[in-house]
Amino acid sequence: MKIKLEDWKEQYRDEAVECMSTDEMHALQSEKLVKQVKNVYENSPFYTKKFNEMGLRPEDIKSIDDITKLPFTTKEDLRENYPFGMLAVPVDKISRVQGTSGTTGKLTLASYTEKDIDVWGECVARGLTMAGLNSTDRLHVCYGYGLFTGGLGLDFGARKLGAMAIPMSAGNTQRQLMCMEDFGATAFACTPSYAMYLAEAATEAGVVDRLQIKAGINGAEPWTEEMRAKIEDMLHINSFDIYGLCEITGPGVAIDCIHHAGLHVNVDHFYPEVLDPVTHEPVLDGTVGELVFTTLSKEGMPLIRYRTKDLTSITHEKCKCGRTLPRISKFVGRTDDMKVIRGVNVFPTQVEAALLSLGEDVTPNYLLIVDRENNLDVLTVQVEVDEKYFSDEIKKLEELKNRVSNVLKDTLGVSAKVQLVGPKTIKRSEGKATRVIDNRKL
Ligand code: DLL
């Protein structure tokens, strides 16, 4: 059942921190940063070397305002020091590793101590509380369990909250729906693309009204407000955007509240900066740049100014929910998701927003295919449309195709070939969706 904004009752997991004054948070972050910098200098050979090369001493960092004096850390650093070269504790203090598969073969591996897992669970529990859950709830987790942080991360959060975790992992949609109904799940967690898939399957099976789901905890991939509205409408729920990355912690770095005006970052543990991707200078609030994190509490694999490659903007204004935790906007995408088509930057999320602005006629199932023909980039957008368009009325299909072409041209600033395809033509994803196939030889 979807709860209307006017009927929403805000609840906090840790009000003292979530609604802390700016000055108090500044003091807390400063104290933690000073300690963390000393810790990494003394205990992580990677940072000892980096600081020494720059001539930087831990005493140079006196408050959080000095953060820009610190060096960046990149995914390449993690790769070069794979698997355990970034630790600040002996490897036998590590109680868990989690990872994510890169495109280049080796995993990005992250290591956590028991305390790191505890903080992680607490951050997810904050998010679940923000989404209206409490200890009486039953969270159906269909993120994958394994090295990917999605399944276990949500599980840790549910455990902290004292709620019931239903560890379904990904796959077997019919069984997911059966268990959701039988176990009386009140919330579910998965990627937005899989939430859409479940919504379609539940609608088709006529079980939506038999489910007791009130909230979706959806994230792990870029998605739009339009997609959220679609999922909420189809399943009659409130859906919340959760963000994280295994290097920093898994899900729970940030989550949005009922006002959906950006994702609240747990800045007492993860200090965010938004930087110009080229100059690496901080950008103003509201301006899109690359998100960079410093882990203030991490023991196992603390990271200083880690460049996430995720593009977003930040605001430090207090939210209507009462929280002062800064908010990052819904993600545009990653710097490496961006496709340059005939000189124009294109993100899949722009295509998603444009398509869904057309209302009921098109679905959020789409795929971008990029080719090079006669030395020119050609973008093809495949999108599923309702079956009715494939009846005898060819004119209707042509009309819709023109509307899709026009909205894409207006939004992207570059023309795209449009292929309208029938329902279920585009491969569904049980985890993170593949939205782009780039056939160009780089
Ligand atoms: O995707 C952690 C996670 C699991 C988050 C479940 C939310 C829910 P990784 O596999 O390390 O970790 O991938 C991290 O995924 O740098 C972003 O590019 C992307 N990402 C994660 N959450 C969001 C989101 C998990 N809410 C990478 N919106 C990140 C947009 C997201 N992108």
Side-chain angles (χ1 to χ4, degrees):
M1 241 258 289
K2 182 171 170 156
I3 304 174
K4 289 198 200 119
L5 186 56
E6 55 269 31
D7 299 328
W8 186 264
K9 286 193 184 57
E10 195 62 63
Q11 52 186 31
Y12 306 101
R13 166 106 183 142
D14 188 348
E15 193 170 351
V17 170
E18 293 173 62
C19 303
M20 191 175 260
S21 75
T22 315
D23 287 350
E24 280 174 301
M25 183 57 80
H26 183 272
L28 179 66
Q29 289 169 331
S30 295
E31 187 195 321
K32 284 184 151 194
L33 181 71
V34 168
K35 263 197 204 146
Q36 185 65 288
V37 166
K38 187 167 179 292
N39 172 42
V40 297
Y41 184 70
E42 288 172 1
N43 297 306
S44 159
F46 170 81
Y47 284 113
T48 316
K49 185 163 172 268
K50 242 188 173 172
F51 282 27
N52 285 344
E53 278 167 6
M54 295 171 73
L56 187 76
R57 315 280 311 158
E59 308 79 74
D60 298 336
I61 306 301
K62 296 188 172 56
S63 86
I64 199 79
D65 302 331
D66 292 325
I67 198 151
T68 52
K69 295 182 184 161
L70 291 164
F72 291 117
T73 311
T74 62
K75 218 178 186 59
E76 289 66 44
D77 291 325
L78 265 57
R79 204 168 289 143
E80 280 164 23
N81 292 284
Y82 171 89
F84 297 119
M86 301 290 294
L87 302 191
V89 294
V91 74
D92 57 9
K93 272 204 79 183
I94 297 299
S95 59
R96 171 164 296 280
V97 291
Q98 300 282 162
T100 188
S101 49
T103 41
T104 46
K106 289 283 188 199
L107 296 165
T108 300
L109 194 73
S111 301
Y112 310 77
T113 63
E114 214 36 51
K115 187 189 145 219
D116 296 336
I117 300 288
D118 195 60
V119 169
W120 179 9
E122 191 52 43
C123 288
V124 176
R126 263 189 211 171
L128 296 177
T129 310
M130 217 181 281
L133 308 194
N134 60 38
S135 61
T136 63
D137 280 293
R138 302 176 192 183
L139 181 65
H140 179 109
V141 183
C142 30
Y143 280 118
Y145 279 65
L147 275 176
F148 174 56
T149 50
L152 281 158
L154 267 302
D155 208 297
F156 294 150
R159 185 183 302 181
K160 277 269 176 202
L161 201 60
M164 180 198 292
I166 306 172
M168 293 301 297
S169 208
N172 200 337
T173 305
Q174 293 313 320
R175 197 159 152 269
Q176 299 273 2
L177 289 175
M178 180 184 81
C179 294
M180 254 184 206
E181 185 183 346
D182 291 353
F183 306 165
T186 57
F188 75 117
C190 63
T191 56
S193 47
Y194 191 56
M196 198 55 222
Y197 186 3
L198 276 171
E200 284 175 340
T203 308
E204 216 164 87
V207 299
V208 175
D209 290 335
R210 300 213 299 262
L211 300 176
Q212 294 174 48
I213 302 284
K214 58 182 180 184
I217 314 296
N218 307 124
E221 63 185 6
W223 57 310
T224 58
E225 277 300 303
E226 289 80 359
M227 178 88 150
R228 183 173 63 76
K230 195 106 187 166
I231 293 168
E232 290 192 342
D233 279 356
M234 287 181 81
L235 288 174
H236 317 312
I237 59 162
N238 298 93
S239 162
F240 297 85
D241 191 356
I242 188 164
Y243 168 79
L245 60 164
C246 68
E247 301 92 308
I248 300 304
T249 209
V253 173
I255 184 167
D256 69 353
C257 66
I258 192 66
H259 297 279
H260 303 297
L263 288 76
H264 289 279
V265 184
N266 285 314
V267 293
D268 51 328
H269 298 299
F270 317 109
Y271 185 78
E273 295 172 85
V274 179
L275 305 182
D276 183 301
V278 180
T279 63
H280 305 151
E281 291 298 322
V283 297
L284 293 174
D285 274 22
T287 307
V288 173
E290 181 181 350
L291 186 59
V292 170
F293 276 112
T294 298
T295 60
L296 299 176
S297 318
K298 267 280 194 72
E299 286 183 344
M301 197 180 94
L303 294 179
I304 303 291
R305 304 190 85 200
Y306 182 69
R307 296 192 44 194
T308 65
K309 298 191 175 176
D310 291 321
L311 295 170
T312 185
S313 62
I314 195 162
T315 172
H316 289 83
E317 264 174 38
K318 184 175 173 179
C319 182
K320 285 189 191 137
C321 71
R323 291 181 181 83
T324 47
L325 296 176
R327 286 165 286 149
I328 46 176
S329 64
K330 241 175 151 54
F331 289 83
V332 181
R334 295 175 57 77
T335 47
D336 41 16
D337 282 344
M338 186 182 83
K339 292 290 159 196
V340 183
I341 315 280
R342 299 197 291 281
V344 177
N345 301 343
V346 172
F347 286 98
T349 47
Q350 290 173 294
V351 172
E352 183 175 298
L355 293 174
L356 293 184
S357 72
L358 293 174
E360 289 300 304
D361 293 330
V362 296
T363 71
N365 299 310
Y366 64 95
L367 183 65
L368 279 66
I369 304 164
V370 192
D371 291 290
R372 185 158 285 149
E373 293 171 10
N374 302 323
N375 290 321
L376 262 190
D377 300 325
V378 178
L379 170 65
T380 305
V381 176
Q382 278 188 355
V383 55
E384 286 182 11
V385 297
D386 196 280
E387 214 141 15
K388 70 179 185 217
Y389 287 98
F390 295 93
S391 61
D392 295 343
E393 292 190 56
I394 305 270
K395 226 177 117 205
K396 261 192 178 172
L397 190 69
E398 279 306 308
E399 264 168 23
L400 181 61
K401 197 167 160 180
N402 285 338
R403 278 171 57 210
V404 174
S405 278
N406 290 340
V407 76
L408 287 176
K409 179 86 203 277
D410 286 351
T411 313
L412 306 178
V414 65
S415 52
K417 283 187 185 173
V418 174
Q419 287 177 356
L420 301 184
V421 295
K424 302 209 179 122
T425 312
I426 296 172
K427 195 167 172 278
R428 299 292 189 268
S429 155
E430 289 166 354
K432 301 189 190 223
T434 304
R435 298 292 194 196
V436 187
I437 298 175
D438 194 342
N439 295 320
R440 293 174 296 186
K441 301 253 176 321
L442 295 175

